[in-house]
Amino acid sequence: MSFLYQREKETAIRAVIAASILTGRIQNDLIGKRSIQKEDRSPVTIADFGSQAVICKILNDAFPDDPIVAEEDSGELSKPEHAENLLHVTHYVSVSFPRVSSGEVCQWIDLGSGPVSFRYWTLDPIDGTKGFLRGDQYAIALALIEEGTVRVGVLACPNIILNSHEGKEARGGLFVAVRDQGAVQLDMTGHSSRKIKVSSVNSPPQALLTESVESAHSDHQLNLELAEKLGILRPSVRMDSQVKYAILATGEASIYVRMPSPQTPDYREKIWDHAAGSILVQEAGGKVTDAVGRGLDFRCGKRLEENYGIVVTNGLLHSTVVNALGSLLP
Ligand code: AMP
Ligand code: MG
């Protein structure tokens, strides 16, 4: 058994669990008060910032020399008009860190403004904001990258529905992968580890395709044409966030295709939207590339500048999907 990245893995799990307790509370509190509305971004703002503060603090304590490249910074939150939001964030962060001040919260959030380097962490404190606001699927995604390759990935999916061994449904799961050490699923407390692997589906008609809920985030029409071309029989499953990678890694779905929406044809994917999810699927036996079969390159900055679109499969279907997609692209 390899112990390479053991401390990184354990720290990342601890950080993501602490953040998911915070985001779960916020989602519950706000849904309980019926105050989650699409136009009102404040709940997600609080959860984003709180999650980022907690994770950056825990990572920085354990690995003070590692840069963290995270989605948020404290610029907006520090403005006087957001004083109340900052108090809310501080309140939720104090559940993990009693007596924390608002100033410290902002400092911890800004630990996430590090540079893309030889070795760095990347974090999406709430992936799938729109899903979070709907009270639906979202993820907390943390990954360690070295030399442009993801080495450790931890994905918390607090609202995922999982089939347990006894045939009962369970809610919430942590997904953890270390390069060359496989992928596992844990419960939300970090226990009950079980190895996971991708599906063994080798003919497209049996495959389940997953895609974003938001039509602004990927080309739904193209996916429809792709499914038709491949003879996929079942309708696609739409889900927010990197939970899509998790259902690929557990074998529930076999194909995830994300091509830029016609509304944003030049969109380049963000590193934190794919780092944790991609290693999870790879270590579960699957394959992750861009639309033309190139591996994802995490050396270019905050965006995957060298990649166009994302194709994720169980591996067995990969070349079939990439070829079919190629025939549909201009
Ligand atoms: P999903 O829930 O899979 O639709 O993905 C959520 C992620 O989509 C967010 O974390 C954003 O970073 C990302 N996103 C935002 N705008 C776009 C866009 N125009 N195209 C693709 N992804 C986007
Ligand atoms: Mg995201």
Side-chain angles (χ1 to χ4, degrees):
M1 189 175 154
S2 173
F3 289 100
L4 211 57
Y5 300 111
Q6 182 78 9
R7 199 164 78 87
E8 286 86 345
K9 177 182 83 173
E10 284 170 2
T11 306
I13 291 172
R14 190 157 50 83
V16 165
I17 288 174
S20 65
I21 292 170
L22 177 146
T23 58
R25 273 181 196 224
I26 295 175
Q27 205 180 36
N28 278 340
D29 288 356
L30 292 152
I31 288 172
K33 289 179 192 149
R34 299 177 181 278
S35 63
I36 286 195
Q37 289 159 13
K38 258 206 167 141
E39 310 74 47
D40 177 8
R41 289 184 51 85
S42 62
V44 81
T45 307
I46 295 165
D48 272 321
F49 288 129
S51 169
Q52 181 160 324
V54 165
I55 291 175
C56 288
K57 166 68 175 155
I58 292 172
L59 278 184
N60 189 250
D61 280 352
F63 302 102
D65 297 330
D66 286 355
I68 307 167
V69 183
E71 190 169 14
E72 311 298 337
D73 64 64
S74 76
E76 274 296 304
L77 189 65
S78 315
K79 290 183 178 164
E81 62 263 37
H82 291 298
E84 202 180 322
N85 278 345
L86 178 55
L87 279 180
H88 285 306
V89 177
T90 308
H91 161 74
Y92 284 104
V93 172
S94 74
V95 174
S96 297
F97 295 97
R99 294 182 298 281
V100 66
S101 69
S102 290
E104 284 170 317
V105 165
C106 289
Q107 280 169 21
W108 297 352
I109 290 168
D110 290 334
L111 291 170
S113 300
V116 167
S117 314
F118 175 83
R119 169 179 157 122
Y120 69 95
W121 296 86
T122 188
L123 167 67
D124 195 338
I126 297 254
D127 182 30
T129 303
K130 303 241 168 75
F132 183 85
L133 284 169
R134 280 188 244 103
D136 219 332
Q137 295 300 328
Y138 72 98
I140 299 165
L142 178 61
L144 174 70
I145 290 156
E146 271 179 13
E147 291 181 276
T149 304
V150 187
R151 306 292 168 158
V152 179
V154 177
L155 200 62
C157 305
N159 293 341
I160 195 172
I161 304 294
L162 299 158
N163 294 316
S164 74
H165 300 301
E166 299 88 42
K168 280 186 271 171
E169 278 188 349
R171 189 181 169 96
L174 287 181
F175 298 86
V176 179
V178 179
R179 183 67 62 197
D180 301 327
Q181 295 178 34
V184 294
Q185 177 194 312
L186 311 165
D187 66 23
M188 287 302 290
T189 66
H191 297 99
S192 310
S193 171
R194 77 169 185 99
K195 241 181 147 22
I196 51 172
K197 61 177 196 314
V198 293
S199 80
S200 52
V201 169
N202 59 10
S203 95
Q206 268 78 57
L208 186 64
L209 185 145
T210 183
E211 61 184 352
S212 285
V213 174
E214 299 297 325
S215 59
H217 292 177
S218 76
D219 192 337
H220 283 164
Q221 178 57 31
L222 181 65
N223 278 358
L224 207 61
E225 289 165 28
L226 179 69
E228 204 173 284
K229 190 165 184 76
L230 290 169
I232 294 176
L233 301 171
R234 287 184 280 175
S236 69
V237 169
R238 289 186 177 167
M239 250 179 210
D240 300 285
S241 82
Q242 285 167 74
V243 171
K244 292 186 278 300
Y245 280 103
I247 66 167
L248 246 294
T250 55
E252 209 178 305
S254 301
I255 305 171
Y256 164 27
V257 173
R258 183 185 188 96
M259 295 306 297
S261 154
Q263 300 164 42
T264 51
D266 298 324
Y267 186 83
R268 283 292 181 277
E269 296 291 334
K270 302 279 176 33
I271 53 174
W272 49 74
D273 283 331
H274 299 284
S278 63
I279 188 175
L280 183 68
V281 165
Q282 289 166 338
E283 287 300 319
K287 197 158 175 178
V288 183
T289 68
D290 67 7
V292 295
R294 288 179 300 216
L296 306 187
D297 184 346
F298 290 92
R299 283 172 302 192
C300 309
K302 290 183 178 176
R303 308 192 313 169
L304 295 169
E305 302 286 356
E306 297 296 328
N307 296 108
Y308 174 65
I310 304 281
V311 178
V312 187
T313 72
N314 64 352
L316 299 170
L317 296 170
H318 208 81
S319 55
T320 307
V321 173
V322 168
N323 290 339
L325 187 60
S327 73
L328 295 171
L329 295 173

